[in-house]
Amino acid sequence: MATSTDELHKNTEASCYAGEVPLTVEELDQILQLQQMIFSRVARNEDYLSIINKLCSLTESFLTNAVASVMLVDSESGLMSVLAAPSVPDAGIDALQGLKPGRTGGSCGNAVFGNEPVYVRDTFTDPRWTDLRHIAYDFNLCSCWSVPVRNEAQEAIGSFALSSFEHRTPSAFHKRLLDVGASIVSIVLARHAQDQHLAASRKRIELMGTVLTQSSEGVLVTDAHNRIVETNQAFEAITGYCGEEVKGLDPKLLSSGRQGAAFYKDMWAELTLQGQWHGEIVNQRKDGSELSQWMSLSVIRDTLGKVQNHVAVFTDLTELKAGKAKLVDALEHDQLTGLPNKAKLSMLLDADDHPRSLLLLNVDNFSYINTGYSLAFGDKLLCAIAQRLVEVEPKAQIFRVNADEFAIYYDQVVDLKAANVRVLKQFFSRQINVDDLGFNITFTAGGASGSGSLFGKAVQSLRKAREQGKNQFHLYNADTDEPDQAKRAEHIYWNSMLHDALSDGRIVPYFQGIRDNQSGEIVKYEALVRLLHDHTVHSPYVFLEAARLSGLLPLITRRVIDRGFAQITGTDIELSVNITEEDLNQHYLEQYLESKLDEYQVSASQVTLEILEGVSSTGKKNHIKQLRALKARGYRLAIDDFGTEYSNFERILELNVDFVKIDAKYIKNIADDKASYEITRAIVYFAKNAGIATIAEFVHNQAVQDVVDQLGIEYSQGYLFSEPAESV
């Protein structure tokens, strides 16, 4: 038997948090990928703050409608401040500065105060948020989960948190994600402190280069003929030689032979010319062991410029380098299989750009192995697969890049199709045996050869292979597999532009009047979002898709509501604002609208919420519930762009909408196009029978307005009567 029932039960318990649902292989893989991405940046010596910001951004990608943050405790004041929060606006960061840890100091203040995780589902009512309730309301922070960041002594020095715009509790996956994130922050901060300490140490060595003192750095002084005349206690502790033992001898007795004659020739040339030299050198101790040193050499001259002494001040780097080597090795190798990991592969591919080949192998049906035999058994099988791959392709390098995914790297261009056949043949003809059980392993594979973005091309190929089914192979083809770079570049451009514009206050509403066709007067306005940049006003047509993909639509809606209400404060002017499906998904509208009504003293009856026809027609259950609740609070509802999508008349009646806005594509040609006229006439007929007022969009000339009047459409909106302007 592979695993007994009791053993399977134990394995299941070990993978749970206090009885919660175990993490899936996919979730563990996601956490592993996050660790690999962050640790690869650590291995590249990127700035610690950029690494922590990247960690926050990656963590946010695992929870919609949420922002991640890292706060640290100031050792002097004991107060907390924000270290990193890439998605939190400056106003939010300012509001959190100077947070005092305590039982009423929010999730982060509690996590630091109690040195334990804190998961708050409802910040609006939880007593632990008493001191920060205003922040929860101001920024719509509905829930907040925080885990302490600890130092080497396991003391809480800060927090790592996910704050959500929805009331929610964390899953086992999110708890594990927060724990891993907090641990990574601890490692990055410790490494940063170590780097700062090393930099300070080097500076101290330079400053003390001409002084013989009792210090932790080894000091050696020679005379003009380069004979040792003095050492300090640290010299003896580091090298193993006592001072009396080496006096009168040439320092070359410490030489390990690792540096050749050319190295010393250059060193003495610089020392003679510049009066000093700094660098890393490998010497040896008295017992023959190697001694890595950071050394500063200085020349002491008399008033006539004649050399009197040479002074060497050095720091022992042996332990530091050994520790760094271990850390780098751990970061570059998979702990389970011992194979180099994705981070190592990325560094190898980034080192140069010569032509080579890369084959990605995804183990077919591996999730069933974990489910049927346990995660521990699955780990054993992965190790066996790794060993077989090394045997099959001895001239290649094997990497484990994901949970059940391996990479075979060839330092030159090879026939990947033949290589894949070779691998499959070896696995098909010889079973993998684990705990007396035999398995025939197959792979879905994707490969790429050449230079430039090789890993990305191989990933695309693997994706193509997966689309074909199991045990398939796809070789990268630039003509068919290359993504639309122009579209990607455009999205990146507008995404960056949107973030900057939101930060700078350049996302604003413009207001277009809506005419009452009976009185001939402008009686209400629609708030239309615009982006201002370099004296140009951009319509949402150019940035709406980027905003949707980036999750920024709710922020834009909030901005339009806030500034729109500010325009009509103290008046009886009616205002229409557009509501998206993303706004309804976040469940914030009712509370946010009410807060803005109070702030600007606006009545709900002055506000019309326009929703796209698709939202009303396919309406999710919670969407319909929200719209009914808003309607009950006194807001009016309008169906925007009616006639473009599903035309679910039953849903419109169910919602009891107040207005139907007939889509512009029918109105703009209604005077000349019979089909547009008939469709519009049918919509108006339905609306009048249902007691719903109609609004014609894109009324741009008198001929169109004449038909609108003939059909009895109650309102008109368009450039004939009102162009969008900065104010009502």
Side-chain angles (χ1 to χ4, degrees):
M1 293 293 289
T3 305
S4 69
T5 303
D6 290 340
E7 289 172 331
L8 182 60
H9 181 66
K10 291 177 181 177
N11 289 330
T12 302
E13 285 186 335
S15 64
C16 297
Y17 277 83
E20 294 178 343
V21 177
L23 271 67
T24 65
V25 173
E26 289 77 14
E27 289 173 339
L28 290 172
D29 184 40
Q30 288 177 324
I31 293 176
L32 176 61
Q33 289 186 54
L34 179 142
Q35 290 175 303
Q36 290 176 334
M37 293 177 69
I38 294 302
F39 285 146
S40 66
R41 291 171 178 263
V42 175
R44 293 197 298 268
N45 289 318
E46 291 188 12
D47 174 70
Y48 84 106
L49 192 54
S50 70
I51 294 175
I52 294 176
N53 273 309
K54 183 63 176 178
L55 172 65
C56 290
S57 299
L58 289 173
T59 304
E60 291 170 354
S61 69
F62 295 116
L63 185 67
T64 58
N65 305 328
V67 294
S69 61
V70 174
M71 299 188 73
L72 291 183
V73 178
D74 181 78
S75 58
E76 294 184 3
S77 67
L79 301 180
M80 300 176 67
S81 60
V82 177
L83 174 67
S87 299
V88 176
D90 291 343
I93 292 175
D94 292 341
L96 289 170
Q97 304 293 37
L99 174 65
K100 183 178 181 180
R103 292 188 174 87
T104 57
S107 301
C108 295
N110 268 275
V112 169
F113 182 78
N115 196 8
E116 60 182 7
V118 174
Y119 308 114
V120 174
R121 180 185 181 280
D122 188 349
T123 60
F124 299 159
T125 59
D126 198 296
R128 290 171 290 186
W129 270 73
T130 300
D131 295 346
L132 302 182
R133 195 82 69 202
H134 61 289
I135 295 178
Y137 286 133
D138 290 346
F139 297 93
N140 195 40
L141 297 180
C142 299
S143 59
C144 183
W145 317 326
S146 184
V147 174
V149 174
R150 301 183 176 99
N151 60 15
E152 188 175 2
Q154 295 303 301
E155 300 167 332
I157 59 171
S159 63
F160 180 60
L162 270 172
S163 302
S164 175
F165 303 119
E166 302 176 30
H167 297 302
R168 48 170 61 157
T169 55
S171 65
F173 167 70
H174 292 116
K175 290 181 180 179
R176 177 74 64 85
L177 183 65
L178 285 167
D179 285 341
V180 170
S183 298
I184 291 175
V185 172
S186 299
I187 292 171
V188 172
L189 291 176
R191 179 185 172 91
H192 174 61
Q194 185 182 61
D195 289 343
Q196 286 184 314
H197 176 74
L198 180 58
S201 178
R202 289 175 177 172
K203 183 177 180 181
R204 186 170 63 252
I205 292 171
E206 294 173 1
L207 293 174
M208 296 176 62
T210 59
V211 181
L212 176 59
T213 60
Q214 296 290 331
S215 70
S216 60
E217 287 80 28
V219 180
L220 179 151
V221 182
T222 67
D223 60 17
H225 303 291
N226 204 33
R227 299 294 176 181
I228 298 174
V229 296
E230 193 61 75
T231 61
N232 68 345
Q233 293 179 356
F235 173 88
E236 180 177 345
I238 294 171
T239 68
Y241 289 101
C242 66
E244 293 300 321
E245 188 177 1
V246 298
K247 278 188 179 180
L249 300 180
D250 192 306
K252 67 181 180 183
L253 70 96
L254 297 172
S255 177
S256 65
R258 290 284 297 275
Q259 282 88 17
F263 173 85
Y264 289 103
K265 181 180 178 181
D266 292 341
M267 181 187 77
W268 279 103
E270 183 175 339
L271 184 61
T272 302
L273 182 64
Q274 303 293 338
Q276 57 184 0
W277 177 89
H278 310 285
E280 187 174 335
I281 188 170
V282 180
N283 280 322
Q284 66 178 7
R285 298 181 177 86
K286 183 178 180 179
D287 62 9
S289 61
E290 285 192 350
L291 172 62
S292 294
Q293 300 169 300
W294 180 264
M295 183 174 289
S296 292
L297 299 177
S298 300
V299 178
I300 299 177
R301 302 177 186 270
D302 61 15
T303 56
L304 298 177
K306 185 178 179 179
V307 175
Q308 297 294 302
N309 299 95
H310 300 101
V311 178
V313 182
F314 58 86
T315 298
D316 184 359
L317 300 178
T318 308
E319 291 186 7
L320 181 62
K321 292 188 70 174
K324 182 177 180 181
K326 290 181 180 178
L327 175 61
V328 171
D329 185 74
L331 294 176
E332 294 180 354
H333 286 79
D334 174 45
Q335 293 183 3
L336 175 64
T337 64
L339 293 176
N341 59 20
K342 184 178 179 181
K344 180 66 174 179
L345 176 60
S346 297
M347 288 188 284
L348 183 63
L349 293 172
D350 292 342
D352 59 65
D353 204 24
H354 72 275
R356 49 266 181 98
S357 296
L358 183 66
L359 182 65
L360 294 183
L361 303 172
N362 184 260
V363 182
D364 290 333
N365 302 317
F366 186 73
S367 61
Y368 298 134
I369 299 294
N370 280 333
T371 302
Y373 296 94
S374 81
L375 294 176
F377 183 87
D379 287 346
K380 291 181 181 180
L381 183 59
L382 286 173
C383 291
I385 292 172
Q387 183 178 350
R388 175 72 61 83
L389 287 172
V390 173
E391 296 172 0
V392 171
E393 293 294 279
K395 295 182 180 180
Q397 294 186 56
I398 312 299
F399 298 79
R400 186 189 180 203
V401 294
N402 279 316
D404 57 353
E405 194 171 300
F406 297 88
I408 305 180
Y409 169 82
Y410 303 88
D411 200 41
Q412 59 186 354
V413 174
V414 301
D415 185 344
L416 287 178
K417 184 175 182 180
N420 183 59
V421 171
R422 189 164 58 246
V423 170
L424 292 180
K425 183 178 179 181
Q426 287 294 324
F427 277 87
F428 182 78
S429 61
R430 298 164 53 203
Q431 283 190 334
I432 293 285
N433 295 309
V434 176
D435 292 346
D436 298 325
L437 293 175
F439 295 87
N440 288 107
I441 301 298
T442 62
F443 300 97
T444 299
S449 294
S451 58
S453 304
L454 198 62
F455 186 80
K457 294 174 182 177
V459 169
Q460 291 180 48
S461 297
L462 181 58
R463 186 179 298 115
K464 289 278 188 179
R466 282 174 173 164
E467 291 172 358
Q468 301 169 30
K470 302 292 185 182
N471 196 19
Q472 299 294 319
F473 171 74
H474 182 81
L475 185 63
Y476 179 80
N477 184 319
D479 294 333
T480 58
D481 298 341
E482 192 66 26
D484 189 341
Q485 298 297 329
K487 183 176 291 185
R488 177 184 294 179
E490 183 179 7
H491 169 70
I492 292 173
Y493 172 80
W494 284 110
N495 182 52
S496 175
M497 181 77 76
L498 280 165
H499 279 89
D500 291 343
L502 282 166
S503 176
D504 299 341
R506 291 183 287 108
I507 295 292
V508 300
Y510 268 46
F511 303 91
Q512 185 176 36
I514 299 175
R515 176 182 186 259
D516 183 331
N517 288 329
Q518 183 172 1
S519 68
E521 301 293 328
I522 299 294
V523 295
K524 61 179 69 180
Y525 292 85
E526 180 181 359
L528 305 168
V529 66
R530 296 291 186 264
L531 188 154
L532 310 181
H533 180 66
D534 287 344
H535 308 293
T536 301
V537 180
H538 295 284
S539 76
Y541 174 79
V542 296
F543 61 80
L544 192 62
E545 184 61 21
R548 178 176 289 107
L549 293 175
S550 303
L552 296 176
L553 284 178
L555 289 176
I556 293 174
T557 301
R558 288 187 181 94
R559 182 68 54 85
V560 171
I561 290 173
D562 180 77
R563 297 197 176 184
F565 283 16
Q567 279 284 318
I568 64 172
T569 184
T571 74
D572 59 358
I573 296 174
E574 296 181 22
L575 183 70
S576 294
V577 293
N578 291 283
I579 302 303
T580 69
E581 187 172 4
E582 286 76 8
D583 296 312
L584 294 169
N585 286 339
Q586 289 196 5
H587 298 272
Y588 75 89
L589 278 171
E590 185 172 355
Q591 184 175 6
Y592 185 77
L593 284 166
E594 290 300 308
S595 69
K596 291 302 172 181
L597 290 182
D598 291 340
E599 180 178 350
Y600 293 109
Q601 294 300 298
V602 173
S603 169
S605 61
Q606 293 176 253
V607 180
T608 298
L609 305 176
E610 296 191 10
I611 57 174
L612 290 175
E613 181 186 352
V615 175
S616 68
S617 299
T618 62
K620 297 177 182 177
K621 188 174 182 180
N622 59 56
H623 293 176
I624 301 302
K625 183 178 180 181
Q626 288 180 72
L627 293 172
R628 286 176 175 170
L630 290 167
K631 175 74 175 175
R633 296 295 291 268
Y635 301 98
R636 299 184 182 185
L637 295 182
I639 304 299
D640 198 10
D641 296 341
F642 188 80
T644 60
E645 296 193 39
Y646 310 97
S647 300
N648 190 324
F649 298 104
E650 182 180 354
R651 181 74 71 190
I652 291 172
L653 294 174
E654 182 182 352
L655 286 173
N656 190 25
V657 300
D658 299 280
F659 304 99
V660 164
K661 300 189 75 173
I662 305 171
D663 187 68
K665 74 177 182 181
Y666 300 122
I667 298 299
K668 65 180 179 181
N669 298 319
I670 196 171
D672 306 308
D673 184 71
K674 184 177 181 181
S676 296
Y677 177 85
E678 292 299 333
I679 291 172
T680 303
R681 188 166 69 89
I683 293 172
V684 173
Y685 178 80
F686 158 74
K688 286 187 178 297
N689 285 322
I692 302 172
T694 50
I695 303 173
E697 297 184 296
F698 208 96
V699 178
H700 58 101
N701 59 44
Q702 189 58 47
V704 169
Q705 180 59 29
D706 289 343
V707 178
V708 167
D709 287 333
Q710 175 192 339
L711 291 173
I713 297 174
E714 286 86 353
Y715 299 93
S716 291
Q717 181 177 351
Y719 277 48
L720 179 62
F721 302 112
S722 172
E723 295 187 15
E726 296 180 67
S727 60
V728 297

